[in-house]
Amino acid sequence: MEATYRALRDCGYASLTMQDIADEYENSKSSLYYHYESKQELLVAFLEYALYEFATELSISDEPSRKQLQSLFDTLVPRSIDRDHREFRLALFELRAQAPHEPAFAEQFERIDRVITDALVDHLEAGIESGEFDDVDVEATAEMYLTLFNGATYERATTAERFDAEPIRSALDTHVQTVLVEGNPE
Amino acid sequence: MEATYRALRDCGYASLTMQDIADEYENSKSSLYYHYESKQELLVAFLEYALYEFATELSISDEPSRKQLQSLFDTLVPRSIDRDHREFRLALFELRAQAPHEPAFAEQFERIDRVITDALVDHLEAGIESGEFDDVDVEATAEMYLTLFNGATYERATTAERFDAEPIRSALDTHVQTVLVEGNPE
């Protein structure tokens, strides 16, 4: 899985071969084919693995909900991003762009979207419970945040000009302040 | 351009050939090559044409700004969408997904993003001017709306489950009501 991560990051999806992954794995291509019948099957397994790793990062802690929501935004729409991370995100975008023709990929990305929405719902409900946030429609709010993250990923990958996360983060901050916090009658 | 529209809608981008476009054009492939050196060049010209057509749809009228913003949302994140329109949007998504490897495509989509953001800024400024909206950060708000539209396009194209625009539209309505209208001291 780590070899697949490195190969995806360094080669992108479009030109990725089983040989690239085997090279990173420091093992033979046939040893990969022993476990996975095809590149697509290996990549689906990789997405499952990445989802599992990612989900553990999103869980709730004891900190104030607003602060936790902020950390979630930092993970999902980072203000800055190093080269390796950017290359990996671009490869994930290329994988997701195959989804219209690869139902197994679509299924994994739907699961990833669901895990993110669930985490957002948990954080929003905890904030409402503790009295930090107004009693908003948590499902619609979580879906809106998810769509912003996906939109930022899409724009980051497909515009040649250097993508700027600042306006989106600023609009998210306004949303939290105006809709979640100031709407709160307490 | 209309032949290219129909060919893209019916064949998608991935398998599109100059022959498909020539068939729709009811003319020979060589007549297409007389005008365009390659499929990529024709598609860039098509994106320029589509942008021009699209931009005229987004201009300001005399109606209240909130109503105009609503029409813009209807165009950009439609609640329902017919089959032909969905197929065409999917083809546009596939074109945009090539942007990391096709700078000429990236450039066209950056222009399209800019046209949408400019239209949103115009509508927001008109609403602030007329006293309908609070004096918000129009650039950040317009960028957030744009990213929501792009995110919805990305999700619609890449999830096998039927995409539901309702939560995003509902969150947009809340945003307009809470941030733009209720924030207004008048």
Side-chain angles (χ1 to χ4, degrees):
Chain A
M1 291 297 111
E2 281 174 24
T4 307
Y5 167 79
R6 289 193 301 272
L8 260 176
R9 184 193 65 195
D10 297 342
C11 311
Y13 167 76
S15 65
L16 185 75
T17 63
M18 284 294 254
Q19 190 58 57
D20 294 325
I21 302 169
D23 290 348
E24 287 290 345
Y25 187 40
E26 291 178 2
N27 222 312
S28 69
K29 218 162 64 172
S30 59
S31 67
L32 282 180
Y33 279 114
Y34 180 78
H35 295 290
Y36 304 101
E37 264 186 33
S38 65
K39 188 177 79 174
Q40 304 313 80
E41 201 181 298
L42 194 164
L43 288 171
V44 168
F46 174 74
L47 288 172
E48 279 177 351
Y49 159 83
L51 173 65
Y52 180 79
E53 293 284 302
F54 185 54
T56 60
E57 279 183 42
L58 305 180
S59 54
I60 283 197
S61 75
D62 288 340
E63 290 189 296
S65 294
R66 184 174 188 165
K67 205 171 163 198
Q68 290 190 65
L69 210 52
Q70 220 62 44
S71 312
L72 219 60
F73 296 165
D74 286 337
T75 305
L76 295 164
V77 191
R79 285 203 159 85
S80 67
I81 192 169
D82 69 28
R83 196 175 169 282
D84 275 0
H85 196 182
R86 192 168 62 238
E87 296 297 324
F88 176 64
R89 281 180 175 235
L90 183 57
L92 273 189
F93 166 77
E94 290 180 310
L95 263 179
R96 182 158 182 163
Q98 304 305 311
H101 312 290
E102 294 277 357
F105 289 179
E107 200 187 308
Q108 292 306 316
F109 283 106
E110 270 169 42
R111 288 181 59 201
I112 290 173
D113 281 358
R114 196 65 235 163
V115 161
I116 296 173
T117 320
D118 287 350
L120 286 163
V121 165
D122 287 350
H123 287 278
L124 290 166
E125 282 179 344
I128 293 167
E129 186 83 9
S130 72
E132 267 185 89
F133 297 154
D134 186 31
D135 187 16
V136 295
D137 178 341
V138 289
E139 270 294 332
T141 308
E143 287 285 346
M144 188 192 84
Y145 290 162
L146 173 74
T147 303
L148 275 175
F149 307 145
N150 282 332
T153 302
Y154 186 38
E155 291 174 354
R156 201 189 285 269
T158 59
T159 48
E161 263 178 47
R162 209 171 153 63
F163 173 79
D164 182 11
E166 208 46 61
I168 301 162
R169 290 299 302 268
S170 156
L172 275 168
D173 288 346
T174 303
H175 191 269
V176 171
Q177 180 61 28
T178 316
V179 179
L180 300 184
V181 177
E182 284 172 15
N184 188 359
E186 281 181 49
Chain B
M1 290 298 110
E2 281 174 23
T4 308
Y5 166 79
R6 289 193 300 272
L8 259 175
R9 183 194 65 195
D10 297 341
C11 310
Y13 168 76
S15 65
L16 186 74
T17 63
M18 282 294 253
Q19 189 59 57
D20 294 325
I21 302 169
D23 289 347
E24 287 290 344
Y25 188 40
E26 292 179 3
N27 223 313
S28 69
K29 218 162 65 170
S30 59
S31 68
L32 283 181
Y33 279 115
Y34 179 78
H35 296 289
Y36 303 102
E37 264 185 33
S38 65
K39 190 176 80 173
Q40 304 314 80
E41 200 181 298
L42 194 164
L43 288 170
V44 168
F46 174 74
L47 288 172
E48 279 176 352
Y49 159 83
L51 173 65
Y52 180 80
E53 292 285 302
F54 184 54
T56 61
E57 279 183 42
L58 305 179
S59 54
I60 283 197
S61 75
D62 288 339
E63 289 189 297
S65 294
R66 183 173 190 167
K67 205 170 164 201
Q68 289 191 64
L69 210 52
Q70 221 61 44
S71 312
L72 219 60
F73 296 165
D74 286 338
T75 306
L76 295 165
V77 191
R79 284 201 160 85
S80 67
I81 191 169
D82 68 27
R83 196 175 169 282
D84 275 1
H85 195 182
R86 191 168 63 239
E87 296 296 323
F88 176 64
R89 281 181 176 238
L90 183 57
L92 273 190
F93 166 77
E94 290 179 310
L95 263 178
R96 183 159 182 162
Q98 303 305 311
H101 312 290
E102 294 277 357
F105 289 180
E107 199 186 309
Q108 292 305 316
F109 284 106
E110 270 169 42
R111 288 182 58 200
I112 290 172
D113 281 358
R114 196 64 235 165
V115 161
I116 296 173
T117 320
D118 287 350
L120 286 163
V121 165
D122 287 351
H123 287 278
L124 290 167
E125 282 178 345
I128 293 168
E129 186 84 9
S130 72
E132 268 186 88
F133 297 154
D134 186 30
D135 188 16
V136 295
D137 178 341
V138 289
E139 270 293 333
T141 307
E143 286 286 345
M144 188 192 83
Y145 289 162
L146 173 74
T147 304
L148 274 175
F149 307 144
N150 281 331
T153 302
Y154 185 39
E155 291 174 355
R156 201 189 286 268
T158 59
T159 48
E161 264 180 47
R162 209 170 153 61
F163 172 80
D164 182 11
E166 208 46 62
I168 300 162
R169 290 300 301 269
S170 157
L172 275 167
D173 289 346
T174 304
H175 191 270
V176 171
Q177 181 61 28
T178 317
V179 180
L180 300 184
V181 177
E182 283 173 16
N184 188 0
E186 283 182 45

